[in-house]
Amino acid sequence: MRSEISLLIVFLLIFFADTFGGKKTLKGLSITACVLFALHTIWNIIPVETTSAFGGMYQTSPMASMVKTVLNIGTFIVLLQSVSWSENPDVKVRRGEFYELLLITLFGMYLMVSAGHFLLFFIGLETASLPMAALIAITKKDSESYEAGAKYLFTAVFSSALFLLGLSFLYGVSGSLYFGDIAVAISANRTPLLIATIVFVLAGMGFKLSLVPFHLWTADVYEGAPTQVTSYLSVISKGAAAFALLLVLYKVFFLDPAIWQGILWALIVLTITIGNLFAIRQKNLKRFLAFSSISQAGYIMLGIISGSAQGMTALVYYVLVYIFSNLAAFGVISSIERNSGKLSMDDYNGLYKTNPKLSVIMMLAMFSLAGIPPFAGFFSKFFIFASAIHSGFYILVLIALLNTIISLYYYLLVVKAMFINTENECVIPAFRSDNASRVSLVVCVAGIVLLGIASCVYGYFADLSMLGI
Amino acid sequence: MNFLSLFVLIPLLMMLGLWISRDMKQIRTVAVIGSTLLLALSVYTLVEFLAERAAGNTATMLFTDSRMWYAPLNIHYAVGVDGVSVAMLLLSSIIVFAGVFASWKINPLPKEFFLWFMLLSTGVFGFFISVDLFTMFMFYEVALIPMYLLIGVWGSGRKNYSAMKLTLMLMGGSALLMIGILGIYYQSGLHSMNVVEIAEHGNIPMNWQYFLFPMTFVGFGVLGAMFPFHTWSPDGHASAPTAVSMLHAGVLMKLGGYGCFRVAIYLMPQAANELAWIFLILTGISVVYGAFSACVQTDLKYINAYSSVSHCGLVLFAILMLNTTAMTGAVMQMLSHGLMTALFFALIGMIYGRTHTRDIREMGGLMQIMPFLSVGYVIAGLASLGLPGLSGFVAEMTIFVGSFEHTDTFHRVLTIVACTSIVITAVYILRVVGKLLYGAVQNEHHRELKDAEWWERLSVITLIVCVVAIGSFPHWISDLIREGVEPITNLLSQAL
């Protein structure tokens, strides 16, 4: 419970500062939030032992605790990147709300990650989704932001309904909502109802993870939401949902994995391929990253389908690397958006001449997302493929690998725009980004460059996953 | 620390040096010092290697060193060299050295150019010293991606198209390769990525070999320009800047041949014996098809690029003959082709830098205008068509003698077909030499052009000396290679 409690303390401190603080307190609110959150991250960096509370409703393991740290690191980077954005006059008045809502969604994700009972899991899921809709719609005067918020709300509610339907079936089959009890009750019989349950659970979580065919909300929401919220949505929310799905499948349906592996196989192929094919044509960089993140979700699922501890290690490692790479990309995009208001890939033509550092960071992010060595993305892709191959999914991995060629194509388009294309009259002028986002970008680059070469992180995750979930 | 790691460390340090250097002079200093050190290091490796062998050390790999990197998957950073990799290291360092001088006046962005160029070299050197499948694969991919920017930014012609095509096709190859490597790792039953260990103790089930051998062979074969996966090569070479064409045709394409030899055949000899015929046909087509295509091109770089397809096809062809003589010939052909094609591309780059055209119809009589470059071109051409005394002859002779050791009709016919490429090579080489160097001067403006500068001369002379050295004294190099090839051919004959 340590991490939940310290997150609540951070939340309450920010809440009180926002509600009762004077003008002076409010001025330093963003920095205070960053510092408090950094302390929270460091405080929880050592994983807790396996414990359970509330009669087994809440269960945590070293690995789950590590996942929370991974999410913390990502959230910390997002907070750094939103410091100067939150100074916008439109956002400034509701800056406190931004931090509160963000931390509440994170709290919901914590609950999902360490649930031992479907009720708690569902509460976590809702806590993570509903405030998110408010976050997406936080820029008051932007109608696109409102539209995106509404879209997200509807899909979230719909997917929750599907998930609940699945849960009610599951309760019918097993007579309990505790993960352990269900696993025992459904052990041997592969009834149609059980298969329907799994379909509904996967569909419900598929919406959160934006797996194809449940992905249709993604691009619009990512485009409409403020860039900071988009980056939070695309990495943190996705990473938490991926691990939560892994938890449910490994803890509840582990005795007959063939059922969900078959469904997941098809979902992965669809997700990776369609995400990639749609990403090719995107010119708006936020939509571009939306589709890229759809296909990345497909790669993350490769860790789940293997059904092994190795897959879990690879998944958490992949999420960590993905956080650094994607947040580096979003950091560059939001810096440029704030300073010049430009978001289209064509506007990036010749960026290397005016903003060499940002271009190099963007290039590293793209290479890491595409899986080019010696950057971390290569290692995470290799390990996630290795885990799937170990469980015998050769054809699936081959399809995924052929898809990396398509993804390399569109990631290289961004690199090409920045480094090779020059035919552009209105190049983005040189500018200096604010200190907080510079720090965040340095953290991301360090992650991209070092995570792969320093093997200790993966080794540590592997040790933790041996301890079970 | 093992001294082989210096091959990776020096280019990395050079990148650091380039990063902090401010003007062209400092950039050149760093590049020259670094590439000279690399050359010296590879010569030192050769000397040490020969001394060690003379002292009676018969281990497959010498100077081995292995450090645990990723313990959960038993991935090591493992280095070691045998005769073949020593030869390849020598080749790479010569070409990097010559390449630095060939890009003396690179413009624009010289610093970035050399940074990417050195990253490319890091990948190449790392690949040749690795004996761990994962490290090998990683360095292989490190060598691929700088090509995209090197061609895209500094290239000429349809550079965007060529750069993207090259990168995507080679990445496609490495996708197959990744499956192959992971398959070998999980099926060999050893839980090891070490090449020598898998070859000596591993036992990959036969049905898996049928799947994994084509994966790895095609994966590396794409880089070795095997028909029908060669189409990236002419466009890529034609659009790349001079030094990159040199390094790419000279060394990077050899990564493909070396990989086929070291991974596909060495680790799966049974499948190699059974499936070699399919790839023999494909590479036979590369040899002849590449040569014929070169005959009808009018762009100097395209001519040479297709000739590379033909010659690199011959490398794979000889490897697939699976006997010691032909395989020795294959590695000699890698060396010989690497040197002479680098020489070709260097000269073409220098000529293009002066005349601003590569179309042979628009040039003529260059022998009167730039005698040094023209003589260099003639020597490269003669080496390419196999004049005795130059490297091409030794290599091709060994290959065809080795191929003819097979007595069955299939191999005989293919050998004869491949032999015809020698004649076709003579056609396209002599056509260019006659048209470009002799005959009337086509463009009067060309009369004002100057001959080579000192850095260009240095680059050209280095390469010519090596071509002649291999051609005139082939013995020491073929002995060196032979003892690297023998462990593999022994495994192959055991597997029969």
Side-chain angles (χ1 to χ4, degrees), chain A residues 310 317 352 372-373 378-379 382-383 385-386 389-390 394 398 401 405 408-409 416 420 452-453 455 458 462, chain B residues 69-70 72-73 112 134 137-138 141 145 148 152-153 160 164 168 171-172 175 178-179 182-183 186-187 208 211:
Chain A
Q310 192 190 352
Y317 184 70
Y352 181 66
I372 304 288
F378 169 77
F379 295 87
F382 188 89
F383 294 135
F385 289 145
I389 287 254
H390 196 188
Y394 279 85
L398 185 62
L401 272 166
I405 306 169
L408 180 65
Y409 170 73
K416 179 175 158 236
I420 300 176
I453 292 165
S455 57
Y458 183 80
Chain B
W69 193 11
Y70 277 97
L73 284 163
E112 284 82 352
F134 178 84
F137 179 68
M138 187 192 81
E141 290 216 338
I145 202 69
Y148 178 74
V153 178
N160 284 336
M164 193 59 98
L168 295 186
M171 272 307 191
M178 198 193 257
I179 292 269
L182 286 170
Y186 282 116
Q187 299 302 330
W208 279 104
F211 172 66

Side-chain angles (χ1 to χ4, degrees), chain B residues 225 227 230 233-234 282-299 302-314 333 337 384-385 396 400 416-432:
Chain B
F227 180 86
H230 65 284
S233 140
L282 291 178
T283 51
I285 296 175
S286 301
V287 173
V288 181
Y289 169 82
F292 272 121
S293 305
C295 287
V296 292
Q297 298 297 326
T298 52
D299 183 315
Y302 270 101
I303 295 177
N304 205 34
Y306 276 109
S307 125
S308 288
V309 172
S310 166
H311 283 120
C312 286
L314 201 56
Q333 172 78 351
H337 172 258
S384 177
L385 58 80
E396 288 182 2
F400 291 123
I416 292 167
V417 170
C419 272
T420 57
S421 74
I422 300 179
V423 185
I424 312 169
T425 307
V427 172
Y428 63 78
I429 294 290
L430 294 178
R431 167 171 163 259
V432 174

Side-chain angles (χ1 to χ4, degrees), chain B residues 56-371:
Chain B
N57 189 339
T58 54
T60 319
M61 294 279 173
L62 295 188
F63 315 123
T64 49
D65 185 19
S66 177
R67 273 150 211 275
M68 183 57 88
W69 193 11
Y70 277 97
L73 284 163
N74 205 15
I75 290 170
H76 291 251
Y77 168 75
V79 295
V81 284
D82 65 355
V84 178
S85 24
V86 169
M88 288 293 117
L89 286 172
L90 201 59
L91 170 73
S92 317
S93 58
I94 292 168
I95 289 173
V96 169
F97 181 77
V100 165
F101 285 98
S103 31
W104 201 246
K105 292 225 156 173
I106 188 79
N107 200 27
L109 305 171
K111 185 161 147 181
E112 284 82 352
F113 177 84
F114 278 107
L115 273 173
W116 287 113
F117 189 69
M118 284 343 287
L119 186 63
L120 183 59
S121 324
T122 315
V124 168
F125 285 115
F127 181 79
F128 287 131
I129 59 170
S130 298
V131 288
D132 181 277
L133 283 174
F134 178 84
T135 331
M136 213 176 203
F137 179 68
M138 187 192 81
F139 280 120
Y140 174 87
E141 290 216 338
V142 167
L144 296 189
I145 202 69
M147 289 301 293
Y148 178 74
L149 283 158
L150 283 168
I151 296 178
V153 178
W154 291 274
S156 57
R158 296 159 77 199
K159 56 183 187 179
N160 284 336
Y161 167 78
S162 313
M164 193 59 98
K165 183 173 176 183
L166 178 142
T167 318
L168 295 186
M169 283 192 74
L170 295 185
M171 272 307 191
S174 73
L176 300 182
L177 209 53
M178 198 193 257
I179 292 269
I181 285 177
L182 286 170
I184 290 171
Y185 174 70
Y186 282 116
Q187 299 302 330
S188 70
L190 279 181
H191 194 62
S192 163
M193 288 253 182
N194 191 301
V195 176
V196 183
E197 224 168 278
I198 298 174
E200 284 170 4
H201 309 292
N203 182 23
I204 305 171
M206 204 53 211
N207 55 342
W208 279 104
Q209 288 200 19
Y210 281 128
F211 172 66
L212 296 173
F213 179 77
M215 286 284 171
T216 27
F217 198 90
V218 172
F220 280 118
V222 174
L223 190 55
M226 183 175 71
F227 180 86
F229 308 108
H230 65 284
T231 53
W232 59 270
S233 140
D235 291 320
H237 289 152
S239 307
T242 307
V244 177
S245 298
M246 287 166 73
L247 195 66
H248 198 251
V251 185
L252 215 58
M253 283 171 88
K254 274 72 202 170
L255 256 64
Y258 181 85
C260 287
F261 165 84
R262 175 74 75 220
V263 179
I265 293 177
Y266 191 32
L267 303 186
M268 291 170 281
Q270 289 96 342
N273 278 324
E274 303 229 351
L275 297 178
W277 64 274
I278 303 173
F279 298 105
L280 264 179
I281 295 174
L282 291 178
T283 51
I285 296 175
S286 301
V287 173
V288 181
Y289 169 82
F292 272 121
S293 305
C295 287
V296 292
Q297 298 297 326
T298 52
D299 183 315
L300 277 175
K301 274 198 162 180
Y302 270 101
I303 295 177
N304 205 34
Y306 276 109
S307 125
S308 288
V309 172
S310 166
H311 283 120
C312 286
L314 201 56
V315 170
L316 293 181
F317 180 82
I319 289 176
L320 286 164
M321 284 295 169
L322 306 176
N323 62 34
T324 313
T325 319
M327 278 188 162
T328 311
V331 181
M332 298 201 60
Q333 172 78 351
M334 288 195 213
L335 278 181
S336 148
H337 172 258
L339 292 168
M340 79 199 179
T341 206
L343 181 55
F344 262 129
F345 278 120
L347 290 164
I348 292 169
M350 291 165 196
I351 293 172
Y352 176 66
R354 291 172 168 73
T355 60
H356 302 292
T357 174
R358 292 195 306 252
D359 194 324
I360 55 171
R361 288 167 302 187
E362 293 171 12
M363 288 183 281
L366 293 186
M367 190 59 102
Q368 307 163 31
I369 305 163
M370 353 177 165

Side-chain angles (χ1 to χ4, degrees), chain A residues 21-334:
Chain A
K23 264 210 165 124
K24 216 169 181 184
T25 332
L26 282 180
K27 207 173 175 192
L29 190 65
S30 352
I31 298 294
T32 321
C34 287
V35 171
L36 282 176
F37 199 82
L39 289 177
H40 160 71
T41 309
I42 294 166
W43 175 248
N44 291 297
I45 208 155
I46 296 165
V48 296
E49 296 296 311
T50 306
T51 45
S52 74
F54 306 125
M57 273 186 122
Y58 175 92
Q59 288 176 345
T60 190
S61 62
M63 200 60 191
S65 176
M66 197 64 223
V67 170
K68 289 173 195 165
T69 301
V70 169
L71 299 178
N72 283 342
I73 293 170
T75 312
F76 176 63
I77 298 172
V78 172
L79 287 181
L80 280 178
Q81 287 175 355
S82 33
V83 167
S84 82
W85 168 75
S86 66
E87 297 295 324
N88 280 359
D90 188 28
V91 191
K92 206 171 176 182
V93 285
R94 48 183 73 195
R95 189 168 49 188
E97 288 160 43
F98 172 73
Y99 291 109
E100 287 146 26
L101 290 169
L102 196 83
L103 294 180
I104 279 298
T105 56
L106 189 65
F107 186 73
M109 291 167 203
Y110 278 11
L111 294 186
M112 272 160 87
V113 165
S114 27
H117 186 280
F118 267 114
L119 198 58
L120 190 73
F121 187 87
F122 187 70
I123 291 172
L125 191 69
E126 289 301 289
T127 317
S129 311
L130 296 180
M132 193 71 92
L135 268 180
I136 291 169
I138 201 159
T139 38
K140 201 177 172 186
K141 285 174 188 151
D142 189 354
S143 61
E144 275 188 14
S145 175
Y146 266 21
E147 184 195 328
K151 269 183 184 156
Y152 185 82
L153 189 66
F154 288 132
T155 42
V157 170
F158 183 62
S159 67
S160 301
L162 280 183
F163 189 77
L164 273 182
L165 187 60
L167 283 194
S168 64
F169 286 173
L170 197 59
Y171 188 72
V173 174
S174 64
S176 169
L177 282 175
Y178 280 101
F179 286 0
D181 294 352
I182 299 173
V184 175
I186 62 172
S187 57
N189 43 348
R190 191 190 270 201
T191 56
L193 198 56
L194 182 64
I195 294 173
T197 307
I198 294 176
V199 169
F200 280 118
V201 168
L202 275 177
M205 293 305 290
F207 272 107
K208 298 278 176 278
L209 281 159
S210 62
L211 301 179
V212 177
F214 315 110
H215 67 291
L216 290 164
W217 59 275
T218 318
D220 291 344
V221 170
Y222 278 29
E223 190 188 2
T227 310
Q228 280 65 26
V229 179
T230 309
S231 57
Y232 182 71
L233 195 58
S234 78
V235 289
I236 318 293
S237 163
K238 193 163 275 191
F243 191 76
L245 178 60
L246 177 138
L247 206 70
V248 169
L249 293 177
Y250 280 27
K251 272 188 163 174
V252 181
F253 302 107
F254 66 96
L255 283 167
D256 195 2
I259 306 177
W260 52 264
Q261 275 172 340
I263 305 170
L264 211 52
W265 200 99
L267 284 180
I268 290 174
V269 171
L270 278 175
T271 306
I272 296 180
T273 315
I274 291 181
N276 273 339
L277 291 180
F278 277 81
I280 292 177
R281 298 298 297 273
Q282 303 304 322
K283 281 289 170 200
N284 179 307
L285 279 170
K286 275 160 86 176
R287 285 187 85 85
F288 169 85
L289 281 177
F291 283 104
S292 126
S293 82
I294 291 175
S295 87
Q296 295 283 349
Y299 290 108
I300 295 176
M301 291 299 109
L302 282 174
I304 296 185
I305 200 173
S306 66
S308 59
Q310 192 190 352
M312 182 164 70
T313 316
L315 178 134
V316 179
Y317 184 70
Y318 196 99
V319 169
L320 179 65
V321 171
Y322 175 64
I323 282 177
F324 282 117
S325 322
N326 225 25
L327 286 181
F330 271 115
V332 173
I333 290 177
S334 66

